[in-house]
Every structure is written in structure tokens, then in C-alpha cells.
Amino acid sequence: MANFNISELNRAKFVSMVAKRLRVIGKSSDAPVKALASYHANELADALHPHVQFLTVKEIIEHSPDLKSFLLAPDASRGTKSLAWFSAGQYLSIALEVDGQTLCRPYSIASSPRDALQGVYRITVKRVGGGLASGFMLDNWTVGTKVIASAPLGEFTYEPLRDAKTVVGIAGGSGITPFRAFAKAITEGDEDFRLILLYGSRTMADAVFSDEIAEMAEHCDKIQIVNVLSEGKKVKGAESGFITAKLIQKYAPQDEDYSIFLCGPQAMYDFADKEIATLGIRGKFVRHELFGEYFHPEKNADYTGDKDAVYNITVRMAGEETVISCKGDTTLLRAMEAAGIPAPSDCRSGRCGWCHSQLLSGDVYVPESVDGRRMADKMYGYIHPCCSFPLSDIVIDVPPMPGM
Ligand code: FES
């Protein structure tokens, strides 16, 4: 029997293929290729990842004076003809001009990807005590208000290669919004996993979207919602108290892996993370939505600054230099916004890298939980102003906000 040599076989095939190619090339025209006005790949990339989306408020749903949903439609008059597709769980960064300040704030998309194909994004805005952006939107946005938004962003999405087939969702307050998108996408067949949602609220009256998700659950056995109420009387079918490890174990699958997705305020993360740590779940199965803006650095044991000190911040941007002041407990990004400097930002929590800037001199404090810098960033003096607090006078080089 002849020896079988696979490398010889492949080489023979390759040689015959070369000859065939040369014949085809020899017959083809050598006329210059006509330049196209645009290329399909570029058109697709622009549609999926637009640099900016011009939107308009199409409808407002008032859940309460301090909580509204805004339905946003494309604004063709400014060049946005359709909305970018997204993965459930992503957010939009909304740009605002408030009292001469240029602000960007991230809001999870509460509608489903299929809704975007129908021309609608839904964001839900809750008034935050002292929150400049939320108050402005709730008090000033009306039907027809023009809005500038980013493309959909963020990594709080379901990835079947990484995540388990069952996700225990832990939502707190307005952190329910990405879970509404997940639930809707599951019912519409665009996501395929089982969602067990533990939804923490003070009372049922605060549990926005709870009834709607419960109704989805009635028609879809992949969705389950459990309200967890921290105040008031016991409500039938709801749990009382907080979302503890014991409660997670009560509803999570007993005999298979599960992922935990969390979205809510910082206090909820602080509490829930300690509980989850006792469950021995692998790190890749625990996923957080953005931590949100960081306040009160002075509460950290490793903070060495003076929260009340006021520092000079020299901001270099596009060849111009501006000197502003910043308190020790204020992020550089907030200080720039307050001074009307259009500094770029999206996530505002050290994750996206959009505000990436060079620290030319001085020192900053970056809380460990929001320090998303790579080793090279630290070596070459790059910081994220959205989560950097001054420890001294500072000089930074900041890229201008693109397209704004
Ligand atoms: S805005 Fe995302 S890292 Fe600063």
C-alpha cells in the first residue's frame, strides 16, 4: 500500500489552483476599476455604528413627575434616517447643553432592538437629587425636542459563549431599564436565555415596568420576575427585604451554572457584591452594568487627598489652554463641564475610554473599582477624567468632543 502524504496532496491541489487562477486573470479586463460613490461595507458600518444620531422626542410617558420615559425617533431633517440596531442591555450617551455646560449622560435603552427597527428608542429618566441632566430633561423636554445621542454603547449584553443559559438579573430602582429590553428581546426571539429577574424597589408603587414584565412572563416561560420590596407591608407574591445570597439561591437553578447580571445604584452593588461573593460563582458569570458616576472619594481608605481643597486645572484642548478650578471631591470631567469645556465622555465610570486624556503634570486619585486603565495607560500617564480626582494642581491634555 502506497504511503499517504497529506502535504504532497495539498501541494498538488495548490499548484493546479494557481494555474487556473492565472488563466482567469489572463482573460480579465485591465481597465481601471470604477470608483463607487460608496461601498456597501462602509454603509453597513455607518448604519450600525453611526458617529452620532440626531433624534427627536416623539412621545413622553409620565410614570410620575420624577420619572418619565422618552420615546426617541430619528430626525431625518438633520440626517438621521433610521436608528442603529443594538444589543439589549446597551445604552445611549445623550448630549445636553445645560446652563452653558456641555454634558453627556448615559441612559440604558429600555426598548428592544426590534423597536429600533420600527424607529423608536425608549429611555427612562429618573430625577436624581442634585442631578443637572435628569432635572433638565424631566422639566424641559417636550414632544419635538431635538436630541443628540451616540450610537448604542456598552457591554452589558448577553453573550452565549461566555454567559450561562440562565441569567439571574438583579435590578435596583431605574436599573430595571436594560432588563425590560432583555425581556422584550427574549419574547421577540432576538435573545435566547432564561431570565430570572429579582427586582428591588422600596414599594410596588416604585416598581416601574414590573407589571409589564410580569405580563411578558405570563406568555413566555423563559422570563420570571420577583419583586423584592424593602419597605411597607408584605405583598402577596413579592419578597420582603433585600436581595441577599439566600434569596438568589432560592430562585436560581439548583443544578446548573447561572450568570448574574446587576444593574442599579452604587449602594446596591456594594451590598449585592458582598452577598454574591459568598456564592462561589465564577467571575465571568457576574456582570455589572456601569457603576455610574463616582462620588465621595474621601470615603475610601486609600484616599490621601483633601476633599475640600481647590486646585488649578490647566486644560489643553485643540491648541487652546484654559485654567479652571476643581475641588478635591469633584472629578476632572465634572469640573471641565461646569466650566463649559466640551470634554468627551460616554460611560462616566471609567469603562469606555472615551474621555482618555493625558496627565502632563500633577497627581490624581482614581478609585480602584472604576479604574479601567490599562497598564500602558498608567505607564504613559493617561487618565480617565470621569473618575479622576485631583490631588494637586494639574495640567491635562484632553481631546475635544467629536462632532459636538
Ligand atoms: S467616559 Fe467612559 S471612561 Fe470616561
Side-chain angles (χ1 to χ4, degrees):
M1 190 175 145
N3 282 343
F4 179 74
N5 185 329
I6 191 149
S7 61
E8 282 294 320
L9 183 66
N10 284 348
R11 196 179 313 151
K13 275 192 170 180
F14 179 70
V15 169
S16 70
M17 192 167 69
V18 170
K20 188 177 170 193
R21 279 186 177 173
L22 288 174
R23 275 200 306 280
V24 172
I25 291 168
K27 284 185 194 165
S28 62
S29 164
D30 59 358
V33 177
K34 261 198 199 159
L36 295 173
S38 68
Y39 295 89
H40 294 319
N42 292 354
E43 285 169 14
L44 181 62
D46 286 344
L48 289 174
H49 310 289
H51 184 60
V52 63
Q53 299 192 91
F54 295 102
L55 311 175
T56 182
V57 176
K58 181 181 173 190
E59 189 183 336
I60 300 174
I61 299 165
E62 184 167 324
H63 307 287
S64 75
D66 290 335
L67 184 72
K68 294 179 186 174
S69 285
F70 296 98
L71 306 194
L72 306 174
D75 184 355
S77 70
R78 291 189 293 165
T80 298
K81 296 192 175 65
S82 58
L83 301 181
W85 175 263
F86 66 100
S87 293
Q90 288 192 298
Y91 67 89
L92 298 174
S93 180
I94 305 286
L96 300 162
E97 290 284 342
V98 184
D99 297 337
Q101 303 179 35
T102 304
L103 313 173
C104 285
R105 292 290 184 273
Y107 286 95
S108 292
I109 306 172
S111 47
S112 68
R114 211 160 277 223
D115 292 333
L117 293 185
Q118 304 298 322
V120 172
Y121 289 139
R122 177 176 184 150
I123 60 169
T124 301
V125 178
K126 182 178 183 185
R127 195 182 302 273
V128 181
L132 206 53
S134 60
F136 179 83
M137 293 161 80
L138 289 167
D139 297 338
N140 293 281
W141 278 18
T142 57
V143 171
T145 294
K146 293 187 178 301
V147 176
I148 297 178
S150 67
L153 300 164
E155 295 159 5
F156 190 63
T157 54
Y158 181 77
E159 169 48 66
L161 291 176
R162 176 198 57 213
D163 304 320
K165 284 297 285 177
T166 297
V167 170
V168 174
I170 298 182
S174 56
I176 190 66
T177 47
F179 292 108
R180 181 186 186 270
F182 282 129
K184 200 154 186 284
I186 291 170
T187 63
E188 290 169 352
D190 291 317
E191 293 286 0
D192 183 19
F193 63 93
R194 185 170 167 230
L195 175 63
I196 300 168
L197 182 55
L198 305 179
Y199 181 12
S201 313
R202 284 189 302 150
T203 65
M204 278 308 290
D206 298 309
V208 64
F209 297 140
S210 173
D211 289 348
E212 197 183 335
I213 296 173
E215 197 179 323
M216 290 184 213
E218 273 178 26
H219 301 102
C220 176
D221 61 7
K222 288 182 179 168
I223 301 171
Q224 181 183 1
I225 180 167
V226 180
N227 287 288
V228 184
L229 307 176
S230 61
E231 291 179 12
K233 287 188 201 146
K234 173 97 183 103
V235 173
K236 193 176 168 207
E239 298 281 353
S240 298
F242 296 100
I243 301 171
T244 59
K246 206 169 157 196
L247 196 73
I248 295 169
Q249 281 175 315
K250 177 175 173 183
Y251 289 97
Q254 303 301 312
D255 48 7
E256 61 177 85
D257 283 335
Y258 57 90
S259 291
I260 296 183
F261 282 23
L262 299 99
C263 185
Q266 183 68 47
M268 186 193 90
Y269 291 150
D270 293 343
F271 179 83
D273 281 342
K274 286 193 194 114
E275 295 291 314
I276 291 166
T278 67
L279 296 172
I281 294 172
R282 290 168 65 192
K284 74 164 188 165
F285 287 139
V286 181
R287 317 217 44 247
H288 298 79
E289 177 48 317
L290 304 175
F291 279 90
E293 269 189 270
Y294 205 97
F295 298 100
H296 305 300
E298 73 280 3
K299 288 189 177 170
N300 295 341
D302 63 345
Y303 178 70
T304 54
D306 175 356
K307 77 179 178 65
D308 296 316
V310 178
Y311 300 105
N312 285 330
I313 312 297
T314 304
V315 181
R316 292 186 187 162
M317 179 184 281
E320 297 208 354
E321 197 168 282
T322 313
V323 181
I324 61 173
S325 54
C326 180
K327 260 186 82 198
D329 63 353
T330 304
T331 63
L332 300 178
L333 178 64
R334 280 212 162 229
M336 288 190 281
E337 289 174 342
I341 296 174
S345 73
D346 270 334
C347 71
R348 306 180 73 83
S349 55
R351 291 273 191 93
C352 71
W354 199 242
C355 63
H356 197 245
S357 301
Q358 192 172 16
L359 181 66
L360 300 172
S361 71
D363 286 319
V364 293
Y365 169 71
V366 183
E368 195 185 340
S369 64
V370 286
D371 191 354
R373 292 175 296 169
R374 296 162 301 174
M375 196 186 291
D377 290 331
K378 293 180 187 173
M379 275 176 66
Y380 294 105
Y382 282 90
I383 58 168
H384 294 145
C386 66
C387 51
S388 298
F389 298 88
L391 295 172
S392 67
D393 288 345
I394 275 169
V395 181
I396 45 172
D397 190 51
V398 180
M401 189 185 290
M404 302 286 173

